[in-house]
Amino acid sequence: MQSHVLSIILFTPLIGAILLLFVPKEKISTIRWMANIFAFVGFLISLPLAPMFWWQRFDPGFKFLEGTPNNWIPSIGAGYNLGIDGISFLLIMLTTLLGWISILSSWTAIEHRVKEYYVWFLVLQTGMLGVFMALDFFLFFVFWEAMLVPMYLLIGIWGGPRKLYAAIKFFLYTLLGSVLMLLGILFLYFHHHTVSNVFTFSIPELYKTAPMIPFDTAIWLFGAFFIGFAIKVPMFPFHTWLPDAHVEAPTAASVILAGVMLKMGTYGFIRFSLPFFPSVVTHPKVQGWAMGLSIVGIIYGALVSLVQKDMKKLVAYSSVSHLGFCTLGIFALNSSGLTGSVLQQINHGISTGALFLIVGILYERRHTREIAEFGGISTVMPVYSTIAMIMFLSSMGLPLLNGFVGEITILQGAFAANWRWAAWAAPGVVLAAAYLLWLYQRVFFGTVSNPANEKLQDLTPRESFMFVPLIVLALWIGIYPKPFFQILEKPVNDLVQGIRDHSGESAAAVNRAPRPSQVSVGDPRAISAGVMKAGD
Amino acid sequence: MLFLNHVYLLPIVPAVGAAVMFFFGRRLRKIAIDTVCIGVIVVAFLFACVTVAEYSSFAHGTGQAFEKIVYTWLGSGDAQLASAMNGGAHQTFNADAGFLLDPLSCVWLLFVTGVGLLIHIYSTGYMAHEGGYYRFFGYMNLFMFFMLTLILANNYMMMFVGWEGVGLSSYLLIGFYFHRHSASSAANKAFIVNRIGDVGFVLGALTLFYYLGSFRFTDINALARSGRFSIGDPVLSAAALLLFVGACGKSAQLPLYVWLPDAMEGPTPVSALIHAATMVTAGVYMVARSNAIFVLAPGAMKTVAIVGALTAIFAASMALVQNDIKRVLAYSTISQLGYMFLALGVGAFAAGVFHVFTHAFFKALLFLGSGSIIQAMSGEQDMRNMGGLKDKIPTTHWTMFVGTLAIAGIFPFAGFFSKDAILWQTWTSEGGAYRILWFVGYATAMMTAFYMFRLMYLTFYSRVRMSPAIRDKVHGLSKSMTAPLVILALCSLGAGWLSWPQSLGGSARFEHFVEPVFAHEAVVLEHAGKSGQVSAGEKEAQHTDKAEYLLMILSLAAGAAGWGVAHNAYRNAGKDYAEPIAQKLPRLYGLLYNKWFVDETYDYVFTGRRKLGNVTLGALGVGEAASWFDTKIVDSAINDVGWVTRAASTLSAWFDRWIVDGLAVRGIAYLTLPFAYVARLFEWGLVQWYALIMVAGLIGFGVYYVWK
């Protein structure tokens, strides 16, 4: 039996966008209400997915399947084929939640071309959901590209002073990656035909044939996908579009950009790079480079954050650092690393999304984001400052809040892969504390030195309300993350197993067995092997 | 067993107080805040007492650990699936929200809730007129929640919750007066320096997990004690050292001690509770908890002992000349923590723990006393402006005098017993090298007595040096402030008797209580050729020789000597009294007075807050360099790619216009022009002319055919 749950969730925002087109653009209030209602409905409608998913969390494979392979354009083998597993489930829930919150946050921030704004925002929402749901590469690529346009317009029309530069940079940079990815997709498509005599873009079908590609070819394909996703994440050194895009984007677009769109890259790694090219990712050199770039991203992003003078730019660079943890977990190629990575992607969406909202609230009141313009804000805006403190702590990974759970799981995974990776990445958390606490001190502590800040209004009920779900989630994941671990267990499990099966010996090495290059005097692995046999 | 089975509720109790303050505190009156926040600590204290009592009947002196696992915190909790997902690997990432009670946690539980309660009560008087009263008590309750979590944790991850959490509370309370830049900077410094230690903690815990497959103390201890690991195991040594880095951060040891003196920016009760009695001993607690690992890592043990001894004397040297009363006590705390690590490092775990216990009372007392002085003096903290307070605030005077006797190690006050145990066990440690550590400890004892009596003389006994305006305002203190002082003074006297050494006819009950936790380690050390310093009671029985009495007398002499020097120097200190060190060794005095310039060095080298000429080093310097690199190199490269693309497209646009369209297309067109001119001759649009040509043609053809 076909269920249409996913389609309903997917198209609710788009229906909203289409209906909005029929409202005259002068009726701003109607437009606002409608957009917010549709965003909220889009979130509400995704909620039943949670219990439905929960019952089958340990079942293998994709769930809520919809459509069949090749049913859309049979002649080329493209299908309207949707389905999710635990990884995409969590990201979908994050998307619907953040979509609603960011539309709510735009209530007073957007004053011109209101109708177009909301229309594009809702279109964007559908595009993002589609990326996480598509089980067909053709469909995936359509959504992947479709989501770029609204974001380009959101930055380019409603952005700051250098909006065009930022928007074009964002668009072209991402497009460059997409083109490489498209080439990779086409290669897989034709390779599948060579092997099975069937033309199809179906991702589950390609899972079966792609790992057969010999290493020497696969490494080029991996590279094409890698650059595409690395730009999106962004990994060092492909990250420079990010600060520009964030600084110029309106608050809500930043929330979505950081909260959801960056996860497309990490999602791509997990969904495509790992299962398609197991022999490549497990190659020590490839893994080493990927881990190395992640570590550089963590430390470098944090160091650059430390000296920023613009709050939003600071948060943007902190994203580079946090996403470094996410990719670190992915390329650890073991279950802890991957589980932690997905968790951290959710966490980053919650914490950094909230941080952008926090910056946006000050920006809306003062129309500046210069750190030096502020000081003593906690005296005039106590509620706001309290919420900001909680989210700062969540972002820096304080236990009992969400960030810690993700980071420690990733670090454990990285440690299991090679302790040096964990050791190099761990100082990132010191720097995170440094740049966030220093920012907090300069903005919130002290006395109100700037007269412009003396009469700032504390949060309105609407603004406070936006943070409630984020704080609840931060505490939930921090205190009782077990459901999240359970949801991720099966897909991550299967993924790791798949990598290991396909790449034979080399994959077994990823987790435990001593790799010749790694065994040295005092390597825990070498010694523990014997011990643990007895221990268990 | 009701309370023991629900021991996880114990940390929740103060958390309730914190939550009430968070949501409603702003609207509550003082009496309501007092009721809630003191109430939850009273409940917690009684809870702790009952729990410990129940535990005692549970363990029957065997020291068997009581564990209560509430739920799986990290990980899915499904061991079967989890182990499959690791492909049969031995680790399933897993940490419980679990709680553990053994003699060690019982000790901490009792003094943390007990001293915590007294300090809370004291605070109702001390903070009565401060703004943000609810905020203060909310944070204090929050601290108690995290501290109890730390103590009761059954695994390293859970302990880390408390570990970072107490750091957070400390951050919030140091920065309580957030309007002051110095306060918020000190708060940041405390948190960030602690974070450096925390990285060590996390990496150490991950190493243990990787190696032993569990975060749980009981699992780790069982494995470590199973005899499978040889002494000096390199991985366990690395783990022990990493954990010790964590301890150095939390317990303010070299080189991470720098945050603690600055932490005195917080209200004085905070200094007493967090930065003297409880939180800073967390490092000692953690190392003592990990004793099974540490004894297998003699290198790490030596490091602990040496760092402890060096910290003890280094901090004491700075305490000699400070003028801020709280700073003297802060350095004193660091120094005393050094003693505790010295004890742990030489394997005298029980003695180290005992010193934590006694220190909690007398140091809390001294801090609260200094708070009373500061309040009586309307906020003055500089001892140069004090003097002659003995009769104005008599209760504070005599309680602080007790505290000073205790910390100086005068018989029969608490510090005598604990400090003597540490020094004695250092002395009897294997190898002559440990005699050097003993000497360092001994010298520190002398310095301790000196700076503490200097403090006493400068505040209570010497001539009155304050301005008349302040002198007239000096006032007595409320009962809520003096009562805790009295109770703590009694504890500072009596706490030591719990461990009355056998050589003096006592029974060392405290040692016997905590001994089971370390019992196995005594055996390990014995095998390693050490003389089994761990179980003090046992050893005392074997070594009741003259040396011990001699060392006791020497200790007393050290205390007396310090007292005597201070007495001579400050007895009559008037307005322009002279520091004896400043007179005799001015250079050394400058060095000590400026705290060995460690803060400045760190600012130059590690943070970059100070510039060397025009060069910024440290994190800020590297950050600026990275930021420059990011805009000028990485981003610039992207922009250059854009520029090249634009140049190429400009070029191809030119090519298109002038070559493709110009040369090829229009050029060909021009080529046809001459022909066109010729052709045009025939095509100029006059119909008559066409007709004429037609006619001419016809005529031509006609003529041709006719002619032919």
Side-chain angles (χ1 to χ4, degrees), chain B residues 474-680:
Chain B
V474 170
H475 52 82
L477 301 151
S478 63
K479 279 252 157 45
S480 60
M481 289 173 70
T482 47
L485 291 178
V486 173
I487 297 173
L488 284 171
L490 293 176
C491 293
S492 301
L493 175 61
W497 302 346
L498 286 175
S499 181
W500 198 286
Q502 283 164 337
S503 53
L504 295 179
S507 57
R509 290 185 57 184
F510 186 91
E511 257 97 346
H512 286 304
F513 181 64
V514 293
E515 204 166 70
V517 181
F518 311 115
H520 184 85
E521 279 54 58
V523 179
V524 174
L525 290 177
E526 203 102 41
H527 281 296
K530 293 200 172 190
S531 49
Q533 307 85 342
V534 176
S535 75
E538 202 177 305
K539 195 207 59 190
E540 301 270 358
Q542 298 161 0
H543 295 268
T544 320
D545 53 19
K546 284 174 191 150
E548 190 174 357
Y549 292 118
L550 184 66
L551 285 184
M552 275 183 198
I553 293 165
L554 276 176
S555 290
L556 282 173
W563 185 353
V565 175
H567 179 78
N568 271 334
Y570 304 106
R571 180 184 37 183
N572 288 319
K575 274 215 162 68
D576 47 357
Y577 71 92
E579 294 285 351
I581 305 176
Q583 284 176 322
K584 293 194 179 112
L585 299 161
R587 280 204 165 158
L588 180 67
Y589 178 78
L591 214 51
L592 295 179
Y593 188 75
N594 290 301
K595 298 161 268 179
W596 300 95
F597 295 100
V598 172
D599 280 311
E600 286 76 5
T601 314
Y602 282 12
D603 273 349
Y604 283 122
V605 180
F606 298 119
T607 67
R609 285 195 301 187
R610 284 168 195 257
K611 289 184 177 187
L612 272 176
N614 283 328
V615 187
T616 315
L617 297 170
L620 280 179
V622 181
E624 266 156 27
S627 184
W628 177 88
F629 178 79
D630 204 57
T631 34
K632 299 290 172 196
I633 310 289
V634 185
D635 194 35
S636 189
I638 301 305
N639 284 333
D640 289 348
V641 171
W643 185 88
V644 168
T645 317
R646 277 178 64 170
S649 59
T650 311
L651 199 68
S652 57
W654 182 88
F655 182 83
D656 198 54
R657 187 166 170 192
W658 297 112
I659 308 296
V660 181
D661 195 35
L663 196 68
V665 180
R666 274 181 288 157
I668 291 174
Y670 279 118
L671 277 182
T672 58
L673 214 56
F675 304 101
Y677 276 119
V678 177
R680 223 164 83 173

Side-chain angles (χ1 to χ4, degrees), chain B residues 120-261:
Chain B
H120 271 73
I121 293 170
Y122 177 92
S123 307
T124 59
Y126 188 85
M127 300 298 289
H129 306 293
E130 297 281 351
Y133 188 75
Y134 77 96
R135 204 159 51 86
F136 177 83
F137 275 97
Y139 293 161
M140 291 286 269
N141 279 187
L142 185 71
F143 168 76
M144 292 299 280
F145 161 67
F146 281 122
M147 191 68 207
L148 291 172
T149 309
L150 192 160
I151 295 167
L152 288 170
N154 84 330
N155 64 65
Y156 279 104
M157 285 298 114
M158 197 63 189
M159 185 187 242
F160 193 67
V161 171
W163 188 268
E164 280 256 286
V166 290
L168 167 69
S169 330
S170 157
Y171 164 81
L172 293 169
L173 283 162
I174 296 169
F176 182 73
Y177 303 117
F178 61 83
H179 296 292
R180 285 208 310 252
H181 181 73
S182 56
S184 56
S185 296
N188 277 358
K189 187 171 179 178
F191 197 96
I192 293 164
V193 173
N194 265 298
R195 265 267 158 138
I196 297 172
D198 293 352
V199 168
F201 184 109
V202 165
L203 288 177
L206 287 176
T207 311
L208 286 179
F209 182 79
Y210 184 80
Y211 199 46
L212 306 175
S214 176
F215 284 123
R216 272 165 70 176
F217 300 132
T218 42
D219 293 351
I220 288 173
N221 285 348
L223 269 171
R225 288 166 183 173
S226 64
R228 278 190 215 124
F229 303 94
S230 57
I231 291 180
D233 184 294
V235 185
L236 290 182
S237 299
L241 280 173
L242 285 166
L243 288 175
F244 181 59
V245 171
C248 283
K250 197 56 79 195
S251 294
Q253 296 297 292
L254 282 172
L256 298 179
Y257 72 94
V258 286
W259 63 272
L260 186 62

